[in-house]
């Protein structure tokens, strides 16, 4: 078991975040994940070739180089087929999403859940607010990709200041949601690592604006106190639901690839009741833990069918005419 020191626990509670190294072994723990994503990229590229969005594609290139080559040619790469959640609008019965075994094992990774348990307790639930982030270097998209920087999600996305509690419905305002940000590749400052505002978890929930990405206006926070958190692949940044954070632009020559995962104590509202979560660990009811990959896939497929028939509830609580957005 990966045991946190008292100093680490104090840092998390005092500052609102904690970086923990070597939670994953990238060469072992990401092997299946990387192969499944490589297969998705090959399929997406084949469709783009057929649709004449790109003129060429070399499957022998490393994953990151293939991603950059596609984006160079097409100006974008739709991320929904790679994402581990459904979109917040226009869900159909054939909306793509990533439901591979590598993603399921990522969510259940024992050393990760060991740390999560020490931060929120032994009854651990996988919250379905989860996403892939795949960010190409800014030089790839150039000036024409500027708008895509603020898209959600976007292949060159630079995430603006926000708190994760802002993207869930009000029924989850008391949920002890914990964010686990997992870099699959190195996330240096040049790669566009996350930046946090230490101590911002004491602010509770601030007003956000849809602009077009949901974000806290810069004039409401002391951005000069931001602290970048560079991480090696396989490390994890843990944050509370109120910790203000953002991402830097990718100024490197490589793709930065990461996941946003979220956990909470079992029984508390998820803030996305239309999406399925599951019990990851339980001392009280170990039989409730979901360990079957096929059942996880079925949960999402049933949710997708239901949303295609009934539509999606509104997730965001603020409009552009909020007083702090003026």
């Amino acid at each position: 078991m990966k045991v946190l020191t008292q100093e680490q626990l104090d840092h998390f509670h005092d500052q609102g975040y904690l970086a923990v190294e070597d939670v994953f072994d990238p060469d072992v723990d990401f092997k299946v994940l990387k192969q499944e994503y490589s297969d998705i990229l090959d399929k997406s590229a084949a469709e783009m070739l057929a649709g004449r969005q790109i003129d060429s594609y070399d499957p022998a290139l490393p994953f990151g180089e293939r991603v950059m080559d596609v984006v160079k040619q097409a100006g974008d790469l739709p991320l929904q087929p790679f994402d581990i959640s459904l979109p917040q609008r226009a869900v159909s019965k054939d909306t793509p999403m990533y439901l591979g075994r590598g993603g399921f094992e990522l969510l259940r990774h024992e050393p990760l859940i060991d740390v999560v348990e020490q931060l929120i307790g032994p009854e651990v639930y996988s919250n379905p607010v989860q996403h892939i982030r795949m960010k190409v270097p800014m030089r790839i998209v150039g000036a024409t990709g500027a708008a895509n920087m603020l898209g959600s999600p976007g292949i060159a996305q630079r995430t603006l200041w926000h708190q994760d509690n802002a993207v869930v419905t009000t029924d989850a305002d008391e949920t002890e949601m914990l964010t686990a940000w997992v870099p699959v590749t190195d996330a240096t400052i040049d790669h566009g690592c996350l930046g946090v505002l230490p101590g911002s978890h004491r602010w509770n929930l601030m007003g956000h604006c849809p602009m077009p990405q949901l974000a806290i206006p810069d004039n409401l926070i002391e951005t000069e106190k931001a602290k970048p958190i560079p991480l090696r692949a396989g490390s994890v940044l843990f944050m509370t639901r109120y910790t203000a954070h953002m991402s830097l632009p990718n100024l490197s020559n490589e793709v930065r690839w990461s996941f946003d995962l979220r956990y909470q104590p079992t029984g508390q509202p998820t803030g996305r009741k239309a999406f399925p979560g599951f019990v990851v660990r339980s001392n009280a009811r170990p039989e409730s833990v979901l360990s079957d990959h096929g059942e996880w896939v079925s949960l999402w497929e049933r949710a997708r069918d239901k949303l295609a028939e009934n539509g999606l509830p509104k997730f965001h609580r603020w409009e552009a005419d909020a007083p702090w957005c003026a």
Side-chain angles (χ1 to χ4, degrees):
M1 181 173 180
K2 195 169 187 68
V3 179
L4 298 178
T5 66
Q6 189 60 51
E7 182 180 5
Q8 287 176 305
L9 291 168
D10 290 343
H11 185 277
F12 177 78
H13 295 300
D14 291 343
Q15 300 296 310
Y17 71 94
L18 177 66
V20 181
E21 296 184 344
D22 303 324
V23 177
F24 294 87
D25 179 338
D27 293 333
V28 176
D29 299 325
F30 297 152
K31 185 176 181 180
V32 174
L33 184 82
K34 288 180 176 180
Q35 183 57 58
E36 290 173 338
Y37 270 84
S38 179
D39 293 342
I40 295 171
L41 179 58
D42 289 348
K43 180 180 178 182
S44 295
E47 294 170 354
M48 296 175 82
L49 281 167
R52 298 187 177 180
Q53 295 167 275
I54 58 176
D55 297 321
S56 63
Y57 179 75
D58 185 354
L61 290 173
F63 179 81
E65 291 184 27
R66 279 181 281 155
V67 169
M68 289 189 287
D69 183 53
V70 168
V71 176
K72 280 180 185 177
Q73 295 183 65
D76 196 9
L77 173 64
L79 288 184
Q80 185 53 49
F82 300 87
D83 208 6
I84 53 175
S85 186
L86 291 168
Q88 296 180 21
R89 61 183 67 86
V91 173
S92 65
K93 290 190 176 183
D94 59 356
T95 295
M97 68 173 291
Y98 169 63
L99 293 171
R101 180 173 294 278
F104 184 59
E105 296 306 328
L106 179 81
L107 293 166
R108 300 175 60 249
H109 185 62
E110 287 284 340
L112 172 64
I113 305 306
D114 287 344
V115 179
V116 170
E117 177 177 345
Q118 293 168 78
L119 297 175
I120 65 172
E123 305 303 309
V124 182
Y125 194 81
S126 174
N127 182 295
V129 183
Q130 53 197 24
H131 292 288
I132 181 182
R133 306 296 180 194
M134 195 152 50
K135 185 188 296 188
V136 298
M138 285 304 302
R139 66 176 179 81
I140 299 295
V141 295
T144 59
N148 193 38
M149 281 181 62
L150 302 181
S152 183
I155 194 65
Q157 182 183 17
R158 175 179 174 268
T159 306
L160 302 179
W161 285 109
H162 68 285
Q163 298 163 301
D164 284 344
N165 195 82
V167 302
V168 296
T169 49
T170 56
D171 62 311
D173 277 350
E174 301 304 316
T175 295
E176 298 172 68
M177 186 173 63
L178 176 73
T179 293
W181 190 79
V182 181
V184 177
T185 58
D186 288 345
T188 66
I189 291 176
D190 280 348
H191 285 102
C193 68
L194 292 196
V196 303
L197 279 176
S200 55
H201 63 305
R202 299 190 183 93
W203 299 346
N204 294 325
L205 185 60
M206 300 190 70
H208 288 60
C209 302
M211 48 184 191
Q213 179 190 139
L214 193 68
I216 305 169
D218 283 350
N219 64 321
L220 295 186
I221 54 178
E222 297 177 284
T223 56
E224 68 277 4
K225 295 183 178 179
K227 181 177 181 180
I229 311 293
L231 292 175
R232 296 196 308 268
S235 301
V236 181
L237 176 63
F238 296 93
M239 295 177 286
T240 79
R241 67 189 188 275
Y242 291 138
T243 303
H245 59 285
M246 48 79 81
S247 71
L248 301 173
N250 185 354
L251 303 178
S252 75
N253 294 316
E254 300 172 310
V255 172
R256 194 215 75 187
W257 176 9
S258 63
F259 286 93
D260 297 346
L261 309 180
R262 294 179 178 89
Y263 298 92
Q264 64 179 69
T266 301
Q268 296 181 358
T270 67
R272 292 278 173 89
K273 61 183 178 182
F275 291 178
F278 64 95
V279 178
V280 179
R281 178 172 292 177
S282 176
N283 289 348
R285 295 184 60 238
E287 73 280 2
S288 66
V289 172
L290 180 65
S291 57
D292 186 324
H293 170 238
E295 178 58 27
W296 179 68
V297 172
S298 295
L299 287 173
W300 277 104
E301 289 177 341
R302 290 196 294 268
R304 179 171 55 193
D305 289 346
K306 186 174 180 180
L307 289 168
E309 293 175 2
N310 302 327
L312 282 154
K314 181 180 178 181
F315 293 135
H316 294 159
R317 63 181 83 196
W318 294 291
E319 304 294 340
D321 59 359
W324 52 84
C325 299

